[in-house]
Amino acid sequence: MFMREDELGKVRSGYFADLILVNGDPLKDTAVLQEHEKLNIIMINGRIHKASSRDSSRTSTGSEILQPTIAPLLNLITYKGNRARARIGYLKIEEPKVTPLAMSSGAPLSNLYHVIELDNQVIRGGDPIALQTVKLLPPISRRDNLGVGRTYTAHAQEFNKSGYDSSDNVDQPLHPAGFGIDEKSAMGYVWGYTIINDVIAREKQRDHKQFFIGKSADTFCPIGPITVPIRQLPKTLQAQTYINGQKRQDGSAEDLIFSVANLIKTLSEGITLQPGDVIATGTPPAFSIPVYILEISNGDVGLTKANDNFINIQTIGTGTEPIIYIHGLGGTMEIYQPLIDAGNLKDTHKHILYDLEGHGATPTKASSAVTMDTLVVDLVGVLAATSTDSAIVVAHSLGGLIGLNLALKYPS
């Protein structure tokens, strides 16, 4: 513990400073530590907070002493600055700047558990710094993330039709530990809210017929970076998802089939919930299965709609003679990039590359039956989307069979 900055000259039991220079011998008379006039210099966290007039010409008073007022606990983040140690700060989005936070004793906060344990009684711990100079970290870590799916009625209907799971969730970091929590008192265990993106590898979920492998890869489930205490939020929360500026989801916590209190009650019937545990309450409806971000012409970013499917198509080169490339099973269109580069063909030909369904960036879905006929139909769609009547075909493995079946079906 460090001495409170509003109690300079009052070094109480259990508190200490980095350095105190006094006019007297505290070993003989401890009362000198209580007399402000006899305390020449007090240094806390490397900053000089008091110096006598005779020393003012030889010492620096450092930065302005911050008032020990309670910080507004909105938009809390965990970050690393120019030092390796993690810190908790208050993010002022409109500037944007981060104000470091500290315990009321002056000790810096290094993780959100401190804020939870202190029941939000924290103070400003330094001058604001620019957001771009810090590295954002997950707001909370080293505890369980308890995911609950199909908690919104509309999304449950989407889920049952799709065979897939959710994407974005509203989450509650828990406050005290609890087992067998009564639903009426459950909200007292909620410290605040954040948000996660419950990333899922659709092909893994499809192949393994369950969620664990599809949802649990390293780097999946990014959380935050902002957390807000529950007491600073309105009763009704709105969860929205935007992709490239386009709103994809818009749901309210009021639409939950099972309330947050009910989720806590149910989970605590078999699990002791600990401070820092995160409950993912599920995703609002309209998450689109799969989510097609953009319908932009080939050669740009995004997917191209060909027939009734969305396909990842790329065109390269400024020439007029088209070449279409068809990769093999398990490959992607990227295998042909070295060939195009080595042949110096960008100025002489128009190169059309695409990913087969379920390969590369071209999506598939659980209900899709991929056959040779559907792959040929997709190829026809690619040709139509790129305004190509005829082309040289370069193919590998399965791609050769697709090209052969296209020629047999459309000999002209």
Side-chain angles (χ1 to χ4, degrees), residues 22-43:
V22 300
N23 183 11
D25 188 348
L27 296 180
K28 295 180 179 179
D29 182 9
T30 58
V32 299
L33 295 177
Q34 305 300 323
E35 298 179 30
H36 194 273
E37 292 302 319
K38 292 185 178 181
L39 297 178
N40 294 331
I41 294 178
I42 299 173
M43 181 180 290

Side-chain angles (χ1 to χ4, degrees), residues 144 146 178-181 264 266-274 277:
D144 294 334
L146 309 171
F179 181 85
I181 299 171
I264 293 173
T266 303
L267 289 171
S268 70
E269 288 173 353
I271 303 171
T272 299
L273 300 175
Q274 299 288 348
D277 283 345

Side-chain angles (χ1 to χ4, degrees), residues 103-153:
M103 302 180 190
S104 58
S105 62
L109 294 166
S110 59
N111 60 67
L112 198 61
Y113 297 103
H114 292 161
V115 181
I116 296 174
E117 184 178 351
L118 294 168
D119 195 26
N120 306 336
Q121 298 301 302
V122 299
I123 64 173
R124 292 173 59 200
D127 297 324
I129 54 179
L131 177 62
Q132 62 265 29
T133 64
V134 307
K135 177 183 179 182
L136 293 174
L137 301 175
I140 201 162
S141 58
R142 303 192 305 275
R143 281 304 310 159
D144 294 334
N145 187 349
L146 309 171
V148 182
R150 285 179 279 181
T151 52
Y152 288 85
T153 303

